[in-house]
Amino acid sequence: FEIGILNFIHDTFACPFLDRVMPIITLFGDKGIFWIAAALLLIIIKKTRKTGVMMGTALLLGLIIGNLILKNAVARTRPYDVNTAMQAELLVKTLSDFSFPSGHTLASFEAATVLMIRDKCFGIPALVLAILIALSRLYLYVHYPTDILGGIVAGILAGYIGYRVVDWFQTSILHRADQVQ
């Protein structure tokens, strides 16, 4: 049924404008580089350092859970490898890794979750970008809807855990270390 959803998206929304825009939007999720750069930028700025560390922690958790464990455990074939007729229409190069969960979506929702918790001024635009990246993966026929859903759920969880771990570490461990000295 998921191939049917992807075909519906393709048949309903495919147009020259989106064919140009969606590959650009999806680049923001490639290997999490945009979100890693954002986390590093936040770390450099003293006022936002904790947020950057939280994002970095969430991204690391997502890499381990999503890309190293889930992708290999589920080992789901990409939709264009199932519906091979779509390979001729792909707007991005074929990928060598598995489909579930969407790594682009996972990284985007990890970062957006941390930003939404810490500062909605940054969080809302990050969430909009995360949603657009997720939709681009469907439009580009490189993920199933459940890959996207899995990336969203895992991303929100990793983002929240990254936030909580860093907050706990700072308030418990570092605070105790300060008291000892």
Side-chain angles (χ1 to χ4, degrees), residues 126-139:
L127 182 59
V128 169
L129 181 57
I131 291 167
L132 289 172
I133 290 168
L135 292 174
S136 77
R137 306 307 283 168
L138 295 171
Y139 183 88

Side-chain angles (χ1 to χ4, degrees), residues 28 32-43 48-63 106-119 122-123 126-127 129-130 155 157-167:
F28 284 97
I33 298 294
F34 174 79
W35 301 112
I36 293 167
L40 290 173
L41 179 63
L42 292 172
I43 289 170
T48 59
R49 185 165 293 144
K50 186 175 178 180
T51 302
V53 172
M54 289 173 170
M55 276 179 62
T57 302
L59 289 164
L60 185 59
L61 280 171
L63 173 69
L106 177 65
S108 300
F109 276 86
E110 291 160 355
T113 298
V114 170
L115 290 170
M116 283 297 290
I117 293 169
R118 298 285 294 164
D119 185 350
F122 290 117
L127 182 59
L129 181 57
L157 285 172
Y160 181 74
I161 292 168
Y163 161 78
R164 296 297 295 169
V165 164
V166 171
D167 193 53

Side-chain angles (χ1 to χ4, degrees), residues 65-76:
I65 294 167
N67 289 34
L68 299 179
I69 296 173
L70 285 177
K71 274 193 186 280
N72 293 311
V74 175
R76 188 177 200 188

